[in-house]
Amino acid sequence: MEHGMKEYVNGIVWGEGLRWHDGNLYFSDIYGQTVYRATENKKEIVIKLGDMPSGLGFLQDGSMLIVSGGQRKILRLQEDAAHVYADFSDDCVGLNDMVVDAKGHAYIGAYGFEIQHYRGGKAEGWLYHISPSGKDEKVCEGLMAPNGIAVTPDGKTLIVADTFQKALFAFVLDENGTPHGRRLWAKLSSGPDGICLDEEGCVWAALPNEKKVARIEEGGKILKEISLNETPLCCGLGGEARKTLFIVTVPAHSELSADELSDFDAQRQKKASRILCTPVGVSGAGAP
């Protein structure tokens, strides 16, 4: 493990959805069906679900939004209870990551196919946009496997990691928060998963197949790489001045068979996912 990297918290079944909010680190445990708030060496249950949570975000009133992957719904956590905020169960096969910007616009990655059975070729993916008023729309069609999502600090650009196209795409956000157009932000050597932004306009991206996290500038130049012994799924900037990079890892995919990867009960027994952290030189910016 690279010098300066340390373990922040362990004992997670399959982590995802890192979010730094109001001085706290939050994350989803997908197979553990739980959302946690974490401090170093300690995790506290925020809510247990009867489903697999994924992307997280916070509205302007501080309430949490949670992607409920199996139900294909967005939940809003209020007074320790989860209520349906949006229901996409009749319109998609799967939901994944989500970002909520400073104005309360939510953007959620969606699929029209069973992603775990993907074997190559064209695939249908898009985003849902939910405005602060609660109105939803289908946007950014033409993606294949939308994963990590971020919004620049000025609220004018949306960046989406597309795992199957091995690329980061950027969209212009209009005054209503609706994404338009698409440009290639960076072409990568492997598929990105979770992402976050820093103050210099660079993207930190988890690259699971390469077992590394990379800091990337627009155009695709890699400015820094952090190599790991495990598989990184997502990353986020938080801590003091948002100068700590948090990374969720799971056991290296090369060490697990396809059956083991899909064996949720086995993963629940192992609880081998964890969050690592390391200081960085440039503060986080925008959302998440």
Side-chain angles (χ1 to χ4, degrees), residues 13-28:
V13 182
W14 201 270
E16 250 293 6
L18 279 178
R19 297 293 180 265
W20 182 262
H21 175 73
D22 199 22
N24 291 284
L25 184 68
Y26 294 82
F27 68 93
S28 291

Side-chain angles (χ1 to χ4, degrees), residues 121-139:
K122 185 173 177 57
E124 183 185 15
W126 61 89
L127 300 186
Y128 290 113
H129 166 222
I130 308 174
S131 72
S133 68
K135 180 181 178 181
D136 62 73
E137 59 181 338
K138 192 174 181 177
V139 297

Side-chain angles (χ1 to χ4, degrees), residues 35-148:
V35 176
Y36 289 99
R37 178 171 44 246
T39 55
E40 190 168 0
N41 298 318
K42 182 181 178 181
K43 56 187 186 296
E44 174 189 357
I45 294 173
V46 174
I47 188 169
K48 293 185 80 64
L49 299 176
D51 189 36
M52 297 182 290
S54 185
L56 304 175
F58 293 85
L59 296 174
Q60 289 179 303
D61 65 0
S63 60
M64 178 189 284
L65 295 186
I66 304 168
V67 173
S68 182
Q71 296 181 33
R72 304 186 302 285
K73 297 176 182 179
I74 309 302
L75 306 178
R76 184 177 186 177
L77 183 59
Q78 293 177 294
E79 298 180 355
D80 299 323
H83 308 275
V84 176
Y85 187 69
D87 186 347
F88 300 115
S89 58
D90 292 334
D91 192 50
C92 69
V93 175
L95 295 177
N96 188 12
D97 211 341
M98 172 177 63
V99 68
V100 181
D101 74 5
K103 295 180 180 179
H105 293 275
Y107 303 92
I108 306 103
Y111 309 103
F113 63 101
E114 293 186 3
I115 195 167
Q116 65 269 32
H117 296 142
Y118 176 75
R119 296 295 182 269
K122 185 173 177 57
E124 183 185 15
W126 61 89
L127 300 186
Y128 290 113
H129 166 222
I130 308 174
S131 72
S133 68
K135 180 181 178 181
D136 62 73
E137 59 181 338
K138 192 174 181 177
V139 297
C140 303
E141 295 182 68
L143 297 170
M144 287 178 62
N147 216 316

Side-chain angles (χ1 to χ4, degrees), residues 13 30-33 52 263-271:
V13 182
I30 297 178
Y31 298 160
Q33 300 185 332
M52 297 182 290
D263 188 340
F264 300 167
D265 288 334
Q267 299 303 331
R268 291 185 187 110
Q269 291 296 318
K270 293 179 181 178
K271 292 186 178 180

